[in-house]
Amino acid sequence: MKLFSNTVSTLEHALNYSSAKQKVISQNIANVDTPNYKAKDVSFKAVFQDVMGKSFQANRSDARHYEFSSKASRLPGVVTYPNVNYNQNGNSVDLDKEMADLATNQIYYNALTERINGKFNSLQTVIRGGK
């Protein structure tokens, strides 16, 4: 018997994704001036596969399309794009993009916490008998 619905579990996984994304963005910002540092990103597809426990294959209709595989890393779903350079020192961190991603992730996290708080408030209301 499950105490919580699947929604709470889904929100938990979404919070884990947001947390991993926050860590990666923070690492990228911290290494903005590090020579030859390659920016990282969190792949939603990889995290989704990890959560669902299934392997999904994307269909490439043209050889010029990007591959859907990623380089393995310590955090699940973290990918590095090794052939990208934005600076002359080999660094691939775009500070403006990272700051925009940080703001987007914060909004996403806030929405998730509001939703999970609503779920727990509903449960609390049921426990109190509607009072």
Side-chain angles (χ1 to χ4, degrees):
M1 180 174 111
K2 284 187 169 184
L3 180 61
F4 300 111
S5 66
N6 287 337
T7 305
V8 173
S9 176
T10 303
L11 289 169
E12 178 186 5
H13 291 304
L15 285 169
N16 290 339
Y17 167 75
S18 181
S19 174
K21 186 135 178 104
Q22 178 74 21
K23 288 176 187 175
V24 168
I25 293 169
S26 298
Q27 288 173 357
N28 288 344
I29 292 172
N31 288 296
V32 70
D33 292 326
T34 304
N36 296 319
Y37 178 81
K38 301 301 179 193
K40 297 178 176 87
D41 195 11
V42 179
S43 168
F44 178 80
K45 177 182 177 270
V47 173
F48 183 71
Q49 285 177 342
D50 186 49
V51 169
M52 298 305 288
K54 300 175 184 174
S55 64
F56 294 98
Q57 287 293 343
N59 184 20
R60 287 179 53 197
S61 59
D62 192 313
R64 294 174 291 180
H65 292 167
Y66 287 112
E67 287 285 339
F68 290 98
S69 61
S70 64
K71 196 174 183 181
S73 64
R74 288 175 284 178
L75 290 172
V78 176
V79 294
T80 303
Y81 303 104
N83 297 329
V84 178
N85 290 327
Y86 292 121
N87 301 322
Q88 293 177 347
N89 64 0
N91 189 305
S92 67
V93 176
D94 181 1
L95 189 58
D96 292 331
K97 178 192 173 300
E98 298 301 327
M99 295 304 286
D101 288 348
L102 186 67
T104 302
N105 192 51
Q106 184 64 45
I107 292 168
Y108 178 67
Y109 178 83
N110 288 343
L112 290 171
T113 56
E114 287 293 322
R115 186 66 187 125
I116 203 162
N117 281 336
K119 283 290 191 183
F120 286 133
N121 285 338
S122 296
L123 185 60
Q124 189 174 30
T125 301
V126 169
I127 291 171
R128 290 182 181 163
K131 295 179 184 179

